[in-house]
Structure formats: C-alpha cells, structure tokens
Amino acid sequence: MKSWSMPEIPLVPGTGPVPMLHDTATGELRSASSHGVASLYVCGITPYDATHIGHAATYLAFDTLVRAWLDAGVGVEYVQNTTDVDDPLLERATATGVDWRELAASQTDLFRSDMTALGIRPPDHYVAVTDVITEISNAVETLVSHGTAYEVATDDSVDGNNDLYFDSARAAETGPWHLGLESGLDRDTMLALSRQRGGDPGRPGKRDPLDPLLWRAARVGEPAWESRVGRGRPGWHIECSVIAINRLASPITVQAGGSDLIFPHHEFSAGHASSITGEPFADIYAHAGMVAYQGEKMSKSLGNLVLVSQLTARGVDPRSIRLALLDHHYRTDWEWTADTLVSATARLERWTAWAAASTGSTEVDAAAPATAGSDAPDPVVDALRTAVADDLDTPAALAVVDAAIAAACPATAAAVTAIDALLGIRLR
Ligand code: 5CA
Ligand code: ZN
C-alpha cells in the first residue's frame, strides 16, 4: 500500500552510538542491533479517529529510534500495518452509516498527511490487512498443520464453519515462546486485560480462556474472504505476526507499539510468529507510554481526543507538536494540556532565533548543503547523540539545546544538522 512522503534527513558529520533500548520482555536496556542492520515492526493504526496525539507520540518515539539507527550507520528495514478490518472499525462504520472501506481509506489518508506534516519517516512496507488476507489465512493453515490452532464450535457462522483459536499451551511445548514471555504478566492480570482489550476469555469451548482468535468464520453482515481455512476474516494478533515475518528476517530487531499493546496483542503476535517460524519473534519488545487527556488515556473509545489535524488546521507549527511530544520520555505516561503546546511553541521560537542569530564559518550557513559541517568534535552534537542513543532520552536531548542557548554557545552548522537529523526539527 502507498506509504507517505519521506522527510529529508540530513547526514551529521561522524557517527552516533548504536541506540540502547528498553526491552519489555527482560526489563533490560539492550543494544538495538549490533550487526549493522536493524528491522522494526510498529503496530499501525486502526483507521478511525486518526491521528490523535497519543498515536503521534508513539510513532514519533519509533521515528526517533529510526533516526538514531541511521545516525549510527545502521541499515533499517521498517514495516507497519494498518488494521483496516476489525471489530471496532466495523462498529464505528455501522454507527456512523459509512461504508467500513471508505472510513478506513479516508482515515488512512488523514494519517498519511499527519505523518508527513510531522516529518515522520515512512515505513518501507506499509501494509493494509485487507491486502494480505491470503498471506494471513495461509499462516493460519500452517498453525493448524503445526497443531497450534484448533476449532471452537460456532453456531452462527454462515457456512457452518467454526472459528479457529490459537493453542497457547501447545505452542509453548513446541516452540521458543510461552505465555508471558513478552509481557511477564501473571494469569489474573492477563485475564483482566484480555477481557478489556478484545479477548473473549469467557467463550465456551476454548482450551485455555486466554487463547486468542486466529480466524473468524463468516457471519451475516460481516466482511469475509474465501481462504484455505474457510470463508472468514483474520483475528487481530495474527495480522501483525504475518505481516512482520513475511517481510523481515526472524527474529526481527524490535517489535514496537504503545504499552496498551503489551497484552494481549504483542504477547500473542510473538506467540503466533514463533509457532510459524520456530524462531523467537523479536530481540526487543519496545513500548511507548500512554498519553492522557482530561484525566484519562486519550482513546477513541472515550472520545477525549486532540487530533494532529485539528492543531495544524489551527495554524500550529508541526515542529511545535514534535517538540511538545519529544519533551516527554517515550516510556512515561503523561497528560496533554494546553500548556504543553504553549511551552513547545516558546521553545521553537528560542531555538529558531538561536539558529538565525549565529554567523561565521563554524556556524549556520544558510547557503550550505544539508550535509555540511566539519568532522571536528562538537559538544552539542555529541551530547545530543548520547541522549538519543540512551533509550531515546529526548527530554535530555532538548535540555542539551536549551543549555547551549542559555550558555550563549553559537549554533554550529553540525549542531543545527544534528537537531534536524535526530529530533526532526529543522531550524533553517
Ligand atoms: N491497529 C492496532 C495495532 S495492530 C491499534 O492498536 N491501533 S490504534 O489505532 O488503536 O493505535 C495505534 C497505535 O497508537 C498503537 O501503537 C497504540 O498503542 C498507540 N496508542 C493508542 N492510544 C495511545 C495513547 N493514548 N498514547 C500513546 N499511544 C497510543
Ligand atoms: Zn499490531
């Protein structure tokens, strides 16, 4: 599927360190790729109510990872999905009287334009679930052949077929994954989260209440596709497993998304993928914290949303939105308020004035090409690189620039380039 426009990311003189990243599965900071190449799968949007500030924060976090990799000379292959067929999307389409395909297409377009405005690097493969139904159903068939998928009696399917579920216990006996490997959660917490986040632990006939749906047999009034496992549509977690493992070598370097995906989504994406490939799914499972608004997690179901497109339509500079988000460490939960944007806008003004005020050979030269700059050590560049490579510590990176300005250090060409390359803030 069409991705979005590539922002220009300038080359900074020298090379940054390979970033260290927090891994949810082990709780440790781990080197995100030591082999000179890295692969990334970030869970994409379910295309309705896009793009809110929480979405933007999560995609910006992993954009920062991509920028850190590029600065370290690491080759990056990046895949993202869009969940363009799923219960919440179908429910919204029905509630608003819009065709679900049109809703998904228009919201995906809006997401693309928001990502472009924010200067977020597009994935190399942007994949809609509806474009890869055969890939997914073939993978479900593989799970059936491995004995890790089973039927659950289904009395309301139109073709008389049964739904297919993942056998968590059998997968753990036969492959490198076990329940809890990624999330580390106890069973009671898993059961509670499964209930809240689209699982069906109460459904009769399952071998384990936590086993997730792999393939939903066709129902009246629901979209369905012919496949080797019968007419139907994919469950949620299997889409991300398949889109990732069919495009990236296993294990992938980083599986990423917001912390609301730790369980059940990323746990079972890892389980399905491992049961198909026989390999661990990812080296690192990375999660961004949740952005709240008006006291609660910003979410489509609650409707407490601040949309990127509303802000830009009001004339807010996308760089201010970026700075507002970068001012929070990606792993912390935080709350968006009107003040967040006021201070980010003031910071952008200070930074642009600083960049514009500098003159001289080692300073900003507006006529110089984007890759300009000497190889001489530059303390601002070094400190920016160190901060970003340290588990994407963007608040520390912003503080580096603030301190340089407070100390009346001139804006060197290399520093301005590094701010553009690593933080995505173009000051000239
Ligand atoms: N389509 C699935 C993933 S396969 C999905 O979760 N879609 S979503 O539209 O609900 O969310 C898209 C991404 O934004 C996910 O990574 C999710 O974790 C993240 N996200 C959602 N709400 C917030 C929030 N309030 N703060 C930070 N990130 C969020
Ligand atoms: Zn996903």
Side-chain angles (χ1 to χ4, degrees), residues 44-46 52 54-55 58-59 83 236 258 260 265 289 291 298 300:
I45 55 162
T46 303
H52 66 61
H55 297 145
T58 289
Y59 297 110
T83 307
W236 177 23
D260 57 343
H265 186 53
V291 181
M298 193 179 286
K300 300 188 275 209

Side-chain angles (χ1 to χ4, degrees), residues 237-251:
H237 321 306
I238 188 70
E239 74 186 50
C240 288
S241 318
V242 173
I243 291 171
I245 62 174
N246 284 357
R247 285 158 191 79
L248 301 168
S250 294

Side-chain angles (χ1 to χ4, degrees), residues 150 152 165-169 179 187 190-195 198-213 263-264 268:
Y150 63 94
V152 171
Y165 277 75
F166 183 61
D167 189 329
S168 308
L179 194 54
R187 255 192 97 77
M190 289 184 192
L191 281 164
L193 290 176
S194 171
R195 248 174 246 118
D200 54 2
R203 179 164 176 178
K206 297 207 296 181
R207 292 179 187 167
D208 180 331
L210 290 169
D211 287 347
L213 178 74
F263 193 89
F268 288 116

Side-chain angles (χ1 to χ4, degrees), residues 41-44 81 83 236-237 239-241 255-257 261 265-266 269:
Y41 183 87
V42 182
C43 281
N81 71 311
T83 307
W236 177 23
H237 321 306
E239 74 186 50
C240 288
S241 318
Q255 149 80 326
L261 300 185
H265 186 53
H266 286 176
S269 295

Side-chain angles (χ1 to χ4, degrees), residues 24-369:
T24 301
T26 57
E28 290 166 0
L29 276 193
R30 306 185 64 182
S31 174
S33 178
S34 46
H35 333 290
V37 287
S39 56
L40 173 67
Y41 183 87
V42 182
C43 281
I45 55 162
T46 303
Y48 69 101
D49 286 345
T51 310
H52 66 61
I53 285 292
H55 297 145
T58 289
Y59 297 110
L60 179 57
F62 301 108
D63 182 59
T64 308
L65 174 62
V66 170
R67 287 166 180 268
W69 271 330
L70 295 175
D71 185 53
V74 173
V76 182
E77 196 160 11
Y78 176 11
V79 179
Q80 187 178 132
N81 71 311
T82 176
T83 307
D84 63 345
V85 57
D86 197 18
D87 293 341
L89 174 78
L90 299 173
E91 283 158 20
R92 174 59 66 89
T94 306
T96 52
V98 182
D99 182 88
W100 63 273
R101 296 173 206 82
E102 278 168 31
L103 176 62
S106 64
Q107 291 288 301
T108 305
D109 267 345
L110 183 58
F111 178 70
R112 289 189 185 100
S113 61
D114 291 336
M115 292 295 103
T116 303
L118 291 174
I120 293 190
R121 202 172 187 270
D124 302 292
H125 308 271
Y126 190 37
V127 183
V129 171
T130 55
D131 285 338
V132 292
I133 298 287
T134 306
E135 261 183 55
I136 298 170
S137 54
N138 287 351
V140 173
E141 190 185 37
T142 302
L143 292 174
V144 172
S145 73
H146 290 181
T148 49
Y150 63 94
E151 295 187 26
V152 171
T154 306
D155 53 20
D156 58 343
S157 77
V158 286
D159 304 312
N161 291 333
N162 289 325
D163 296 335
L164 292 170
Y165 277 75
F166 183 61
D167 189 329
S168 308
R170 172 107 181 111
E173 284 159 21
T174 54
W177 172 88
H178 62 270
L179 194 54
L181 176 136
E182 176 268 347
S183 64
L185 296 171
D186 60 57
R187 255 192 97 77
D188 285 347
T189 308
M190 289 184 192
L191 281 164
L193 290 176
S194 171
R195 248 174 246 118
Q196 278 168 35
R197 298 177 178 168
D200 54 2
R203 179 164 176 178
K206 297 207 296 181
R207 292 179 187 167
D208 180 331
L210 290 169
D211 287 347
L213 178 74
L214 287 168
W215 188 258
R216 179 170 164 87
R219 305 294 205 282
V220 174
E222 292 185 18
W225 289 261
E226 295 294 343
S227 87
R228 301 220 289 247
V229 288
R231 208 154 65 88
R233 64 181 163 101
W236 177 23
H237 321 306
I238 188 70
E239 74 186 50
C240 288
S241 318
V242 173
I243 291 171
I245 62 174
N246 284 357
R247 285 158 191 79
L248 301 168
S250 294
I252 63 174
T253 313
V254 176
Q255 149 80 326
S259 60
D260 57 343
L261 300 185
I262 292 174
F263 193 89
H265 186 53
H266 286 176
E267 185 69 73
F268 288 116
S269 295
H272 301 340
S274 290
S275 189
I276 295 165
T277 64
E279 300 277 345
F281 183 37
D283 293 339
I284 296 177
Y285 299 92
H287 293 100
M290 289 292 108
V291 181
Y293 184 54
Q294 296 169 337
E296 300 208 62
K297 174 193 162 188
M298 193 179 286
S299 77
K300 300 188 275 209
S301 47
L302 293 172
N304 56 337
L305 305 176
V306 175
L307 300 182
V308 170
S309 53
Q310 285 168 343
L311 297 177
T312 51
R314 256 173 42 200
V316 173
D317 188 322
R319 293 175 301 173
S320 299
I321 304 174
R322 246 186 120 101
L323 280 175
L325 302 177
L326 292 170
D327 202 15
H328 302 270
H329 189 266
Y330 82 98
R331 283 204 285 127
T332 56
D333 296 335
W334 57 280
E335 176 147 9
W336 176 272
T337 65
D339 282 352
T340 319
L341 201 52
V342 172
S343 44
T345 304
R347 180 178 259 140
L348 181 62
E349 278 166 15
R350 283 200 310 277
W351 287 22
T352 44
W354 171 66
S358 298
T359 54
S361 58
T362 59
E363 296 159 9
V364 175
D365 175 357

